[in-house]
Amino acid sequence: MISFNVNHEGWLSPARCIPSPNFDLWPEGTLPSLLVVHNISLPPGEFGGNAISEFFCNQLNFDAHPFYEEIRDVRVSAHFLITRKGELLQFVSCQRRAWHAGSSNFLGRAQCNNFSLGVELEGSDFVPFEDAQYQTLAALTKALLATYPIRAIAGHADIAPGRKTDPGPFFDWQRLQIETALDDSYFPYQR
């Protein structure tokens, strides 16, 4: 069984830490209360390699693929990435605001970056996620809920409808709920 520990600086072990410069401070007095699930693949639909990490760290070779020109000026990060093999990478401390949600709204509360942790799953809207990814996501979720006042879990599409579609139709919300043993109140968009 996978288990993660959050240290006093907001970094998880045994996650692989790859610090991103794309973060800033939480608004004063704020702790994360929402976990946002995303998917990402770079180039789109291709898995493996270091492109996602390089993108989150502003080190992507934009000449390596034609699609990359579309994201040349984008500066983003998530707190976490779970690879297809289930490896957990951390880019931003949980004590800092990562730039993952963009223009967003959670049940009437705008700017979700101000109160959420973001986790990317290596994947796309067009293929199922791997068992190892669900296992890591469940363990990560449990560790975060034990440390922070997270009261809800949502998809990027839930908080940015019409603009985003991830984690997509292949993401199994019921499986995440079962593996984390959380009640329905944590999944307000999945009822």
Side-chain angles (χ1 to χ4, degrees), residues 170-188:
F170 285 97
F171 185 74
D172 189 342
W173 286 102
Q174 185 175 20
R175 179 173 180 176
L176 177 61
Q177 184 173 2
I178 290 168
E179 290 195 18
T180 56
L182 296 173
D183 64 50
D184 289 346
S185 67
Y186 281 90
F187 302 90

mmCIF file of all heavy atoms in Angstrom, residues 170-188:
data_model
loop_
_atom_site.group_PDB
_atom_site.id
_atom_site.type_symbol
_atom_site.label_atom_id
_atom_site.label_comp_id
_atom_site.label_asym_id
_atom_site.label_seq_id
_atom_site.Cartn_x
_atom_site.Cartn_y
_atom_site.Cartn_z
ATOM 1 N N PHE A 170 -13.042 9.550 -19.164
ATOM 2 C CA PHE A 170 -12.487 8.260 -18.734
ATOM 3 C C PHE A 170 -12.062 8.260 -17.272
ATOM 4 O O PHE A 170 -11.677 7.218 -16.744
ATOM 5 C CB PHE A 170 -11.308 7.848 -19.622
ATOM 6 C CG PHE A 170 -11.739 7.360 -20.971
ATOM 7 C CD1 PHE A 170 -11.736 8.218 -22.063
ATOM 8 C CD2 PHE A 170 -12.161 6.059 -21.161
ATOM 9 C CE1 PHE A 170 -12.146 7.783 -23.313
ATOM 10 C CE2 PHE A 170 -12.581 5.605 -22.402
ATOM 11 C CZ PHE A 170 -12.573 6.473 -23.475
ATOM 12 N N PHE A 171 -12.103 9.425 -16.619
ATOM 13 C CA PHE A 171 -11.732 9.442 -15.203
ATOM 14 C C PHE A 171 -12.867 8.846 -14.381
ATOM 15 O O PHE A 171 -14.022 9.251 -14.502
ATOM 16 C CB PHE A 171 -11.418 10.852 -14.714
ATOM 17 C CG PHE A 171 -10.918 10.855 -13.299
ATOM 18 C CD1 PHE A 171 -9.639 10.425 -13.010
ATOM 19 C CD2 PHE A 171 -11.750 11.236 -12.262
ATOM 20 C CE1 PHE A 171 -9.195 10.380 -11.701
ATOM 21 C CE2 PHE A 171 -11.313 11.203 -10.950
ATOM 22 C CZ PHE A 171 -10.026 10.776 -10.665
ATOM 23 N N ASP A 172 -12.539 7.888 -13.527
ATOM 24 C CA ASP A 172 -13.525 7.141 -12.745
ATOM 25 C C ASP A 172 -13.653 7.764 -11.347
ATOM 26 O O ASP A 172 -12.933 7.401 -10.416
ATOM 27 C CB ASP A 172 -13.103 5.674 -12.659
ATOM 28 C CG ASP A 172 -14.165 4.781 -12.054
ATOM 29 O OD1 ASP A 172 -15.092 5.290 -11.387
ATOM 30 O OD2 ASP A 172 -14.060 3.548 -12.239
ATOM 31 N N TRP A 173 -14.601 8.686 -11.216
ATOM 32 C CA TRP A 173 -14.814 9.363 -9.941
ATOM 33 C C TRP A 173 -15.260 8.385 -8.858
ATOM 34 O O TRP A 173 -14.849 8.503 -7.700
ATOM 35 C CB TRP A 173 -15.850 10.470 -10.114
ATOM 36 C CG TRP A 173 -15.295 11.646 -10.843
ATOM 37 C CD1 TRP A 173 -15.484 11.971 -12.159
ATOM 38 C CD2 TRP A 173 -14.437 12.646 -10.311
ATOM 39 N NE1 TRP A 173 -14.785 13.114 -12.462
ATOM 40 C CE2 TRP A 173 -14.143 13.556 -11.352
ATOM 41 C CE3 TRP A 173 -13.885 12.869 -9.053
ATOM 42 C CZ2 TRP A 173 -13.329 14.666 -11.164
ATOM 43 C CZ3 TRP A 173 -13.073 13.976 -8.859
ATOM 44 C CH2 TRP A 173 -12.802 14.860 -9.902
ATOM 45 N N GLN A 174 -16.092 7.429 -9.230
ATOM 46 C CA GLN A 174 -16.566 6.458 -8.238
ATOM 47 C C GLN A 174 -15.400 5.640 -7.688
ATOM 48 O O GLN A 174 -15.345 5.358 -6.485
ATOM 49 C CB GLN A 174 -17.626 5.547 -8.848
ATOM 50 C CG GLN A 174 -18.226 4.600 -7.829
ATOM 51 C CD GLN A 174 -19.354 3.772 -8.409
ATOM 52 O OE1 GLN A 174 -19.486 3.612 -9.622
ATOM 53 N NE2 GLN A 174 -20.182 3.223 -7.536
ATOM 54 N N ARG A 175 -14.464 5.288 -8.550
ATOM 55 C CA ARG A 175 -13.301 4.529 -8.073
ATOM 56 C C ARG A 175 -12.494 5.357 -7.078
ATOM 57 O O ARG A 175 -12.060 4.846 -6.045
ATOM 58 C CB ARG A 175 -12.432 4.110 -9.260
ATOM 59 C CG ARG A 175 -11.211 3.340 -8.828
ATOM 60 C CD ARG A 175 -10.448 2.774 -9.990
ATOM 61 N NE ARG A 175 -9.287 2.045 -9.499
ATOM 62 C CZ ARG A 175 -8.462 1.380 -10.269
ATOM 63 N NH1 ARG A 175 -8.669 1.317 -11.569
ATOM 64 N NH2 ARG A 175 -7.424 0.760 -9.747
ATOM 65 N N LEU A 176 -12.286 6.635 -7.369
ATOM 66 C CA LEU A 176 -11.548 7.484 -6.429
ATOM 67 C C LEU A 176 -12.291 7.565 -5.099
ATOM 68 O O LEU A 176 -11.673 7.459 -4.035
ATOM 69 C CB LEU A 176 -11.341 8.882 -7.010
ATOM 70 C CG LEU A 176 -10.652 9.872 -6.072
ATOM 71 C CD1 LEU A 176 -9.249 9.397 -5.698
ATOM 72 C CD2 LEU A 176 -10.603 11.258 -6.706
ATOM 73 N N GLN A 177 -13.600 7.701 -5.159
ATOM 74 C CA GLN A 177 -14.370 7.790 -3.923
ATOM 75 C C GLN A 177 -14.259 6.501 -3.113
ATOM 76 O O GLN A 177 -14.076 6.538 -1.896
ATOM 77 C CB GLN A 177 -15.835 8.098 -4.228
ATOM 78 C CG GLN A 177 -16.660 8.300 -2.969
ATOM 79 C CD GLN A 177 -18.069 8.757 -3.247
ATOM 80 O OE1 GLN A 177 -18.481 8.911 -4.394
ATOM 81 N NE2 GLN A 177 -18.836 8.980 -2.191
ATOM 82 N N ILE A 178 -14.336 5.368 -3.774
ATOM 83 C CA ILE A 178 -14.238 4.087 -3.072
ATOM 84 C C ILE A 178 -12.844 3.907 -2.477
ATOM 85 O O ILE A 178 -12.698 3.516 -1.317
ATOM 86 C CB ILE A 178 -14.589 2.923 -4.028
ATOM 87 C CG1 ILE A 178 -16.085 2.963 -4.353
ATOM 88 C CG2 ILE A 178 -14.189 1.579 -3.432
ATOM 89 C CD1 ILE A 178 -16.495 2.049 -5.496
ATOM 90 N N GLU A 179 -11.803 4.212 -3.252
ATOM 91 C CA GLU A 179 -10.432 3.994 -2.776
ATOM 92 C C GLU A 179 -10.033 4.958 -1.659
ATOM 93 O O GLU A 179 -9.122 4.666 -0.891
ATOM 94 C CB GLU A 179 -9.446 4.067 -3.942
ATOM 95 C CG GLU A 179 -9.587 2.885 -4.878
ATOM 96 C CD GLU A 179 -8.422 2.701 -5.827
ATOM 97 O OE1 GLU A 179 -7.330 3.250 -5.589
ATOM 98 O OE2 GLU A 179 -8.615 1.981 -6.824
ATOM 99 N N THR A 180 -10.708 6.104 -1.569
ATOM 100 C CA THR A 180 -10.412 7.048 -0.493
ATOM 101 C C THR A 180 -11.390 6.919 0.671
ATOM 102 O O THR A 180 -11.174 7.526 1.719
ATOM 103 C CB THR A 180 -10.447 8.501 -1.009
ATOM 104 O OG1 THR A 180 -11.730 8.747 -1.619
ATOM 105 C CG2 THR A 180 -9.325 8.760 -1.993
ATOM 106 N N ALA A 181 -12.473 6.164 0.470
ATOM 107 C CA ALA A 181 -13.510 5.967 1.489
ATOM 108 C C ALA A 181 -14.113 7.299 1.931
ATOM 109 O O ALA A 181 -14.453 7.478 3.105
ATOM 110 C CB ALA A 181 -12.958 5.182 2.676
ATOM 111 N N LEU A 182 -14.279 8.230 0.976
ATOM 112 C CA LEU A 182 -14.877 9.527 1.291
ATOM 113 C C LEU A 182 -16.365 9.514 0.957
ATOM 114 O O LEU A 182 -16.787 8.858 0.013
ATOM 115 C CB LEU A 182 -14.180 10.630 0.492
ATOM 116 C CG LEU A 182 -12.706 10.848 0.827
ATOM 117 C CD1 LEU A 182 -12.081 11.841 -0.140
ATOM 118 C CD2 LEU A 182 -12.554 11.322 2.271
ATOM 119 N N ASP A 183 -17.134 10.271 1.716
ATOM 120 C CA ASP A 183 -18.567 10.316 1.449
ATOM 121 C C ASP A 183 -18.866 11.274 0.295
ATOM 122 O O ASP A 183 -17.997 11.999 -0.185
ATOM 123 C CB ASP A 183 -19.361 10.672 2.711
ATOM 124 C CG ASP A 183 -19.071 12.064 3.232
ATOM 125 O OD1 ASP A 183 -19.121 13.033 2.447
ATOM 126 O OD2 ASP A 183 -18.797 12.187 4.444
ATOM 127 N N ASP A 184 -20.120 11.272 -0.135
ATOM 128 C CA ASP A 184 -20.548 12.057 -1.296
ATOM 129 C C ASP A 184 -20.280 13.547 -1.154
ATOM 130 O O ASP A 184 -20.133 14.247 -2.154
ATOM 131 C CB ASP A 184 -22.045 11.861 -1.555
ATOM 132 C CG ASP A 184 -22.372 10.478 -2.085
ATOM 133 O OD1 ASP A 184 -21.448 9.754 -2.496
ATOM 134 O OD2 ASP A 184 -23.565 10.123 -2.080
ATOM 135 N N SER A 185 -20.229 14.060 0.071
ATOM 136 C CA SER A 185 -20.072 15.498 0.259
ATOM 137 C C SER A 185 -18.743 16.014 -0.300
ATOM 138 O O SER A 185 -18.630 17.203 -0.617
ATOM 139 C CB SER A 185 -20.193 15.874 1.740
ATOM 140 O OG SER A 185 -19.095 15.356 2.482
ATOM 141 N N TYR A 186 -17.750 15.154 -0.438
ATOM 142 C CA TYR A 186 -16.462 15.560 -0.995
ATOM 143 C C TYR A 186 -16.505 15.704 -2.521
ATOM 144 O O TYR A 186 -15.573 16.235 -3.105
ATOM 145 C CB TYR A 186 -15.367 14.559 -0.622
ATOM 146 C CG TYR A 186 -14.855 14.740 0.782
ATOM 147 C CD1 TYR A 186 -15.441 14.062 1.842
ATOM 148 C CD2 TYR A 186 -13.788 15.582 1.049
ATOM 149 C CE1 TYR A 186 -14.972 14.223 3.145
ATOM 150 C CE2 TYR A 186 -13.316 15.753 2.346
ATOM 151 C CZ TYR A 186 -13.916 15.062 3.383
ATOM 152 O OH TYR A 186 -13.449 15.235 4.665
ATOM 153 N N PHE A 187 -17.546 15.220 -3.143
ATOM 154 C CA PHE A 187 -17.641 15.195 -4.608
ATOM 155 C C PHE A 187 -18.904 15.933 -5.072
ATOM 156 O O PHE A 187 -19.817 15.320 -5.628
ATOM 157 C CB PHE A 187 -17.641 13.751 -5.104
ATOM 158 C CG PHE A 187 -16.427 12.969 -4.677
ATOM 159 C CD1 PHE A 187 -16.423 12.250 -3.487
ATOM 160 C CD2 PHE A 187 -15.270 12.981 -5.443
ATOM 161 C CE1 PHE A 187 -15.300 11.541 -3.081
ATOM 162 C CE2 PHE A 187 -14.144 12.282 -5.060
ATOM 163 C CZ PHE A 187 -14.156 11.566 -3.867
ATOM 164 N N PRO A 188 -19.005 17.235 -4.861
ATOM 165 C CA PRO A 188 -20.254 17.945 -5.135
ATOM 166 C C PRO A 188 -20.685 17.940 -6.593
ATOM 167 O O PRO A 188 -21.877 18.063 -6.872
ATOM 168 C CB PRO A 188 -19.959 19.368 -4.653
ATOM 169 C CG PRO A 188 -18.469 19.488 -4.701
ATOM 170 C CD PRO A 188 -17.958 18.129 -4.362
#
